[in-house]
Amino acid sequence: MSETKSHTNGDNPEPAPATEDPTTASDPSTTPLSWPEDGELSREWIRHFSSVLSWCSRHLPPSQLPSVLPPVFLQRLILTASNILHREPNLVRVDPLRGDGEGASVVVVGDVHGQLHDVMFLLEDAGFPGEDRFFVFNGDYVDRGAWGLETFVLLLAWKIHLPHRVFLLRGNHESKYCTSIYGFEQEVMAKYGDQGPMVYRKCLRCFEGLPLASIIADRVYTAHGGLFRGVVAAPPKKHKGKKKSRKIVGDVSGGAMKLGSLDELARARRTVLDPPWQGANLIPGDVLWSDPSNKPGLSPNKERGIGLLWGPDMTE
């Protein structure tokens, strides 16, 4: 039986950093980070990367971050991870059963919202990803916290190093809409100045590739928001001399709304950044924005204006 742990962060704007003596911390400010010569990210390289990010968060003003994380390095890191993420399905399956028959542990992590030091402590405390430990991060890497960019790229580095042990799902804040309101866009511009728009675009492109949900050990469903509605095919319109087409529309009638299937989730188009989603793309909106309710059934999430409220019967 595999062990599943869960870690989550509240919306604490400024948590206490992980303990480190600043007088003994090495100064990396004169050594810009570069890609490993062999092209492979190792655990040791990522540990060094993490310590550099920690040092920068404590000692460098935001505008000096490019002296340590040059835009060309950052661009390569984001693009390498983005290429991996875009090849993954909407619904990733996490199988913790090892070849020796023993179950590896699976650590599920909730919203981290730019809290770099919390993420570094969590990785130390839970144990780093490896053959005996999977991580499923459940979205909302950016906004609110001061180090959304550093948090996101650190997790991308782990994804590149261990793509089948680290899974990064999408949250509702991985969108142009949320990041323009809740701080991430402004954070990137403050840190990268003239290069900020390029860095921000690369991040948005990477957000599009993040999978929507996971199934752990064939029995646990995880997603940032929750459950989703099914889609129905509208009757084909007849146009004289033209090919018939069937339009897929979301089933939005309160009484007829039905729970979606995993097959429908797998077929949804996730490379859409912002609501409102339409047709089959109501599914990504539901997965990212829906909330649980004590009331049975499915109903529109009027408070958010997007997604659903789903009851305990839907969970069953």
Side-chain angles (χ1 to χ4, degrees):
M1 185 80 179
S2 64
E3 173 190 1
T4 302
K5 301 178 182 178
S6 179
H7 287 251
T8 188
N9 187 329
D11 290 334
N12 218 1
E14 296 293 339
T19 56
E20 176 182 313
D21 183 355
T23 63
T24 61
S26 58
D27 180 354
S29 59
T30 58
T31 310
L33 281 165
S34 59
W35 206 256
E37 291 184 4
D38 63 1
E40 299 292 330
L41 301 190
S42 65
R43 176 178 292 208
E44 292 71 26
W45 187 93
I46 296 175
R47 295 293 301 276
H48 172 67
F49 183 38
S50 180
S51 67
V52 169
L53 293 176
S54 178
W55 188 94
C56 292
S57 72
R58 300 164 191 278
H59 301 287
L60 281 189
S63 61
Q64 290 186 24
L65 185 63
S67 67
V68 182
L69 270 66
V72 64
F73 162 80
L74 204 61
Q75 181 174 348
R76 181 169 182 179
L77 178 68
I78 296 172
L79 285 176
T80 301
S82 185
N83 288 335
I84 295 171
L85 293 164
H86 275 79
R87 290 195 296 267
E88 291 186 325
N90 291 341
L91 182 68
V92 294
R93 292 188 177 270
V94 182
D95 182 8
L97 188 65
R98 302 198 307 246
D100 57 10
E102 293 295 322
S105 63
V106 180
V107 184
V108 180
V109 186
D111 308 7
V112 295
H113 277 306
Q115 306 298 349
L116 175 67
H117 309 105
D118 284 2
V119 171
M120 291 190 297
F121 173 80
L122 185 153
L123 289 166
E124 291 273 2
D125 183 58
F128 292 105
E131 287 300 313
D132 61 345
R133 188 170 294 105
F134 291 76
F135 274 81
V136 178
F137 289 87
N138 216 24
D140 278 15
Y141 310 106
V142 302
D143 288 334
R144 296 199 175 108
W147 305 287
L149 182 62
E150 292 91 329
T151 300
F152 187 51
V153 297
L154 175 59
L155 296 179
L156 291 182
W158 278 110
K159 179 64 181 178
I160 295 168
H161 174 49
L162 293 171
H164 303 298
R165 289 294 182 270
V166 176
F167 295 92
L168 305 179
L169 305 184
R170 187 173 171 185
N172 60 344
H173 277 261
E174 277 70 61
S175 67
K176 193 173 190 301
Y177 169 76
C178 283
T179 54
S180 66
I181 295 174
Y182 293 100
F184 180 64
E185 182 180 13
Q186 295 89 329
E187 174 194 337
V188 173
M189 300 307 164
K191 290 174 178 175
Y192 279 86
D194 292 344
Q195 293 293 312
M198 180 274 293
V199 173
Y200 181 57
R201 285 196 305 272
K202 298 300 181 186
C203 289
L204 292 180
R205 171 63 177 152
C206 193
F207 293 164
E208 290 180 343
L210 294 167
L212 299 175
S214 77
I215 296 287
I216 302 171
D218 289 326
R219 61 191 299 180
V220 179
Y221 168 85
T222 71
H224 181 77
L227 300 183
F228 51 95
R229 75 194 79 189
V231 294
V232 295
K237 293 181 179 180
K238 295 182 180 180
H239 298 284
K240 190 174 182 180
K242 292 185 178 181
K243 190 176 181 180
K244 296 179 181 179
S245 63
R246 292 179 68 84
K247 183 180 180 182
I248 302 297
V249 298
D251 188 352
V252 295
S253 60
M257 195 180 296
K258 68 182 181 69
L259 191 64
S261 70
L262 296 182
D263 286 341
E264 288 174 312
L265 173 58
R267 292 193 301 267
R269 177 175 168 239
R270 75 174 186 260
T271 55
V272 181
L273 274 174
D274 293 302
W277 286 274
Q278 295 179 339
N281 288 320
L282 283 167
I283 288 178
D286 289 348
V287 172
L288 297 178
W289 290 87
S290 292
D291 293 303
S293 170
N294 290 325
K295 181 181 177 181
L298 296 174
S299 59
N301 195 333
K302 295 180 180 178
E303 183 175 351
R304 290 189 183 273
I306 185 173
L308 305 173
L309 297 175
W310 83 87
D313 57 328
M314 296 293 103
T315 300
E316 290 297 323

